[in-house]
Amino acid sequence: MDIAQALALVAATVTSGLVSGLFYGFACSVMPALRGGDDRTFIDVMQRINTAILNGWFVLGYIGAFVFMALAIGLQFGGGDRDAVAPTVGAFVCYLASMAVTSRVNIPLNNALDAAGQGDGIARPHAVREEFEGRWVRWNVVRAVLCSAATGLLCWSLVLHGAS
């Protein structure tokens, strides 16, 4: 059981870290780089990213983090090693909050951007971009912070698990 708990915590930490890095990368490089582009280019690139990100590797990390954290919590409660439960539950709560931000803010904004049309078919690209960019960027930073907090808490869980 001890090995299973450790493996679940490692898997949760790695997958959470991958998602944290993705959101952090958007906050630090992708969105600042796009900020300097014209409206149609911004919309085109974001629409392409929204399509490209829907792949198995992303789903493995995004859903995997959730599943591995839940598994780690279950194993911690079931196996008697409760030293790491509190930070693991804290990580799970932070990660759930980031998933809520994604599903309630970022995905609807992505869908609205996709619904605006393609390229030259968009009558008012500046208005479309204004409806999307500021809010999406702000909430992406929120989910990056939440995922980073989850990853940090999972690291602490690993320390506590190793000490017990």
Side-chain angles (χ1 to χ4, degrees), residues 4 10 12 18-19 21 26 30 35 46 51 65 78 87 92-93 99 105 108 110 112 121 130-131 135 154 160 162:
V10 167
L18 290 170
V19 177
F26 267 90
V30 175
R35 187 180 316 130
M46 286 306 298
T51 299
F92 189 71
V93 169
M99 292 178 91
V105 180
N110 292 345
E130 280 203 351
E131 281 292 312
R135 189 164 179 230
L154 289 168
L160 293 175

Side-chain angles (χ1 to χ4, degrees), residues 19-99:
V19 177
S20 298
L22 174 69
F23 297 155
Y24 176 78
F26 267 90
C28 291
S29 62
V30 175
M31 299 314 284
L34 288 174
R35 187 180 316 130
D38 67 82
D39 297 335
R40 290 189 193 283
T41 300
F42 175 90
I43 292 166
D44 180 57
V45 170
M46 286 306 298
Q47 287 175 335
R48 288 172 185 253
I49 289 170
N50 292 339
T51 299
I53 202 164
L54 299 176
N55 65 69
W57 291 110
F58 171 73
V59 171
L60 176 66
Y62 187 72
I63 301 300
F66 172 82
V67 170
F68 291 130
M69 281 184 231
L71 177 62
I73 291 167
L75 290 170
Q76 287 167 343
F77 276 115
D81 177 17
R82 297 213 170 100
D83 293 340
V85 169
T88 307
V89 169
F92 189 71
V93 169
C94 287
Y95 196 77
L96 278 176
S98 78
M99 292 178 91

